[in-house]
Amino acid sequence: KRCNLAVENFAEIDLLTFINLPVCLPNLKRRTIFTKDIERYVLEHFIFSLKTNKKIIFPTGNTPLEMYKMLKQQNDIPNHSVFQLDEYLKSTEYQEYLKNNLPSNFRFHFIDAFAEDIEKECIRHDALCQNIDLTILGIGKNGHIAFNEPHTTTLMSPTRVVSLEKKTVEDNDTKFTKAITLGIQTILRSKQIVLMAKRNKREIVEKVISGSVVVPAKY
C-alpha cells in the first residue's frame, strides 16, 4: 500500500502475483519520470549511486548515447561489470558499440554470437546475468525489450535466439534477421530496472503506461 504519507508500507509478493494485480494497483504513472534531460537524470539518480563495482546491463541504440558521453568523462567511475543485453546472430556489432561508448575500465561480459552451440551459449550467458544490480533498457517502437519481440515473448521467456520482426529490422536499418536476447525472465530478476525513452518513442510509451497494448515492455 502506497500513498502520499510520510510513512510507506510495503508488502513482498512474488512476481506472478504482482503481474496479475489489477491495473490500478501497480500504477506505472507513479514510477514514470518526465524530463528534458533523461540521460543526465538516469546517470545521476541510478548510475552514480553505485559507489562500488556492480553488475550492470547497458542498452545499445541512440537513446543512451549522450549519457554514455557524460559517463566517459568521469574519472572516478568504479570498474563495473557490464553484461550484454542482446546481439545479432553471427555479429559483434553491439559488442563494439558497448566497447566504443562506455568507459574503458569497465569489465565486459559479451555474448558469443558465433558459438558453435548457440543454445549452450545462451545458457552460459543467462547464468552470468542473474541478479544484475542495475539494468537499463530502451524500448522498440513495437514495444520490444532487448530483442524480446511482441508476438513471441511471454513472462517466462528465457535467453534465446529469436527471429526479428520486419518492423524491428527496418527501424534498426540492419541486414540481420536473427538475434540472441536476454529473456524477460532473467531481466526481471535485476535488482533495479530503468526503461528510458525519448520523444520518438512517446506513442508506444503512452500505450504501455495506459495498458492499451500487450507487449513485452508491459512486464
Side-chain angles (χ1 to χ4, degrees):
K1 180 179 180 182
R2 182 172 183 176
C3 50
N4 295 324
L5 300 176
V7 177
E8 295 181 348
N9 298 311
F10 297 89
E12 184 174 343
I13 60 176
D14 63 79
L15 179 62
L16 288 176
T17 301
F18 177 78
I19 293 297
N20 291 320
L21 286 173
V23 174
C24 63
L25 294 180
N27 187 346
L28 281 170
K29 292 182 180 178
R30 280 202 302 256
R31 294 172 287 158
T32 301
I33 301 296
F34 294 94
T35 172
K36 293 181 179 179
D37 196 347
I38 186 65
E39 302 94 342
R40 187 173 298 278
Y41 184 90
V42 174
L43 196 65
E44 293 178 351
H45 287 79
F46 294 95
I47 299 176
F48 286 169
S49 65
L50 302 174
K51 302 301 183 183
T52 58
N53 299 346
K54 297 294 184 180
K55 297 169 65 176
I56 307 177
I57 289 175
F58 287 104
T60 55
N62 294 321
T63 300
L65 278 177
E66 288 300 318
M67 182 178 74
Y68 294 160
K69 289 179 182 178
M70 290 185 280
L71 187 58
K72 289 185 75 171
Q73 294 171 1
Q74 303 300 311
N75 296 320
D76 57 349
I77 194 76
N79 299 326
H80 295 307
S81 293
V82 175
F83 295 81
Q84 194 171 5
L85 182 65
D86 48 21
E87 180 62 272
Y88 294 121
L89 192 61
K90 306 298 183 183
S91 171
T92 59
E93 181 176 327
Y94 284 4
Q95 290 184 28
E96 299 304 321
Y97 172 102
L98 294 171
K99 286 191 293 185
N100 291 335
N101 290 292
L102 290 171
S104 59
N105 65 312
F106 283 0
R107 294 169 292 176
F108 294 95
H109 301 266
F110 292 131
I111 299 167
D112 182 2
F114 289 89
E116 185 174 335
D117 189 334
I118 289 295
E119 184 176 348
K120 186 176 181 180
E121 173 62 12
C122 289
I123 294 172
R124 182 197 69 82
H125 190 70
D126 185 271
L128 294 177
C129 295
Q130 299 298 312
N131 300 311
I132 296 290
D133 293 293
L134 172 63
T135 292
I136 300 175
L137 301 170
I139 180 173
K141 290 183 178 180
N142 65 353
H144 72 243
I145 294 297
F147 276 131
N148 290 285
E149 297 280 30
H151 299 101
T152 56
T153 299
T154 70
L155 176 63
M156 306 307 291
S157 289
T159 298
R160 66 206 185 282
V161 175
V162 296
S163 295
L164 303 179
E165 294 188 1
K166 182 180 179 181
K167 177 64 174 172
T168 299
V169 173
E170 292 174 351
D171 288 344
N172 289 8
D173 190 23
T174 182
K175 64 180 181 180
F176 295 102
T177 58
K178 289 185 178 294
I180 301 170
T181 183
L182 209 62
I184 292 293
Q185 186 180 46
T186 301
I187 291 172
L188 289 177
R189 291 197 177 106
S190 303
K191 297 174 185 177
Q192 290 188 95
I193 299 176
V194 175
L195 191 159
M196 58 188 296
K198 291 185 176 180
R199 291 183 182 274
N200 64 321
K201 303 294 178 63
R202 177 172 180 168
E203 182 178 353
I204 185 62
V205 169
E206 289 181 342
K207 289 179 178 179
V208 170
I209 291 175
S210 69
S212 63
V213 291
V214 179
V215 294
K218 73 175 184 176
Y219 297 127

